[in-house]
Structure formats: C-alpha cells, structure tokens
Amino acid sequence: MDETCEMKYKVMDSPLGKMEISGCEQGLHGIKLHGWKTPDTGPAEAATPTEQLGGPGAVPEPLLQCAAWLDAYFREPLVLEGLPVPVLHHPIFQKESFTRQVLWKLLKLVKFGETVSYQQLAALAGNPRAARAVGGAMRSNPIPILIPCHRVVCSSGAVGNYSGGVGVKEWLLAHEGSPAGKAARGGGSRAAESWRGALGGTASSQPAGRD
Ligand SMILES: [Zn+2]
C-alpha cells in the first residue's frame, strides 16, 4: 500500500483544450486542465507537456479507462453509465477524511445533468452544517469532471466557484443540459431542484400549452 507510485501521464484533447491524465498501475491520480480558455484567466498559452510514454502498452489501465470515460463524456454522454469508472489512487482517497467522503458521495450520487447545492452535499456526506468545508473539498478535488465538482452550485441558484474558472463550469453545466447552466445564461434559479427531482421528487416539466 505504501509503495511509491510510478506515475504515468496521458495527454488528450477535449472541446475545452488539452487535458492531462495522471496515474499509476494501481489507479488514477488526477486530471489536469491545460490552458483551458476561461474568462477569468485570459488567453492562457497552452503549455502542453507532450510527455510521450514509453511506447504502446505502457499506459496503465486506469488511465486508459479515464481517457475513454472523458471521451464519452464529451462526445457520447449516453454511454457514460455503462463505462467503468477507474480505480482512484490519489493519496486523498487512501485515508478517511471529510474531503474523501464528500468526493465519494459526489461521484456516486450526482449524475450527468444533475446538480447539488453545497449544503445538500454536506448533508449527503453526513454533516449538514459543513457547506463551507464542502467548498474546500471541491477546491482540493484532484479529478475534476470525473468527480463532478462542477455540479455543486449555490442553493441560491448561482453557479458558484470553480477551480478551472466559472466560464468552464458554466460550459460543463450547459453541456449537460443542466438547469443551472441555463440559469447562468440569464434565467431562473432552479439549480438545486434538479437533484431532488432526480430522486423521484418534483419533475414538473409539463409542456406548457399555448394560449
Ligand atoms: Zn498511485
């Protein structure tokens, strides 16, 4: 368990720019976003490290799974549910902590197109009063997108912060067709509702009759 991880890297393209996947034979360590175009940071030069791996076959299975998962996320979200989620091996997942608990709950419970508020996620992780700590956990998420910290929004309906930039968060939410993404583009504020709706609650999407 305490063996040093032999880290490998894989760079892939996404609609938002280059992404670097890192991990070892035992599991995925991280997803990093290179030169993501965000309104916050301006035109960041994509300093892409084109680290080539030893050769074909040298990429550990968890990295390949992650790349396949991300590819589906961007191109073919409908197949996502059927894809394996790679084993996670970042140190943050190897000892019990509130952060780990929060990240696990988020990964397991908040699916494509859904959102959850910081407060709701705190409750899911066992401490309803820890909304602020949930914010901290989101900032230390080593595996954005796969662990969907972009789906955590303010209970007011505001999109909230994102390490990759608010513009990226809005893009991801809009990509998922999430109400929060639409709200960000100037509309209602039903962010927190979709998560409850997903649990079998209020799905009030009757086609409005024209009058
Ligand atoms: Zn490792």
Side-chain angles (χ1 to χ4, degrees):
M1 288 284 170
D2 286 354
E3 283 169 44
T4 323
C5 300
E6 193 189 330
M7 296 293 287
K8 303 276 188 177
Y9 302 88
K10 181 174 173 57
V11 176
M12 64 179 281
D13 285 311
S14 84
L16 290 166
K18 300 272 184 199
M19 305 177 69
E20 183 193 88
I21 305 167
S22 63
C24 65
E25 289 291 345
Q26 294 161 85
L28 183 67
H29 278 241
I31 296 175
K32 252 196 279 184
L33 327 167
H34 281 295
W36 277 30
K37 306 170 197 81
T38 71
D40 297 303
T41 53
E45 270 328 300
T48 310
T50 34
E51 296 163 53
Q52 288 305 317
L53 298 161
V59 183
E61 186 64 22
L63 272 67
L64 295 175
Q65 284 179 344
C66 181
W69 191 96
L70 284 170
D71 202 52
Y73 175 85
F74 287 113
R75 291 166 197 257
E76 211 179 347
L78 286 178
V79 307
L80 267 186
E81 279 296 316
L83 286 182
V85 172
V87 175
L88 309 181
H89 200 250
H90 188 281
I92 212 168
F93 301 109
Q94 297 184 42
K95 61 177 200 296
E96 190 51 60
S97 70
F98 183 69
T99 294
R100 182 175 87 156
Q101 183 71 2
V102 167
L103 295 175
W104 269 122
K105 292 291 179 188
L106 182 58
L107 175 64
K108 297 287 178 205
L109 299 177
V110 186
K111 299 301 181 188
F112 195 96
E114 301 172 8
T115 54
V116 68
S117 73
Y118 291 91
Q119 206 166 16
Q120 285 168 333
L121 184 54
L124 290 171
N127 186 351
R129 299 168 65 90
R132 196 173 289 259
V134 165
M138 295 306 98
R139 280 191 294 279
S140 50
N141 177 12
I143 309 179
I145 303 184
L146 182 72
I147 297 181
C149 54
H150 60 278
R151 295 181 193 142
V152 186
V153 299
C154 302
S155 42
S156 67
V159 169
N161 291 322
Y162 191 59
S163 307
V166 173
V168 170
K169 189 172 188 175
E170 288 174 357
W171 190 96
L172 291 167
L173 290 169
H175 172 63
E176 298 186 6
S178 158
K182 293 183 191 111
R185 272 140 221 269
S189 59
R190 320 214 93 234
E193 298 301 326
S194 72
W195 176 73
R196 266 181 295 214
L199 290 186
T202 56
S204 56
S205 54
Q206 286 137 355
R210 296 192 184 276
D211 49 348

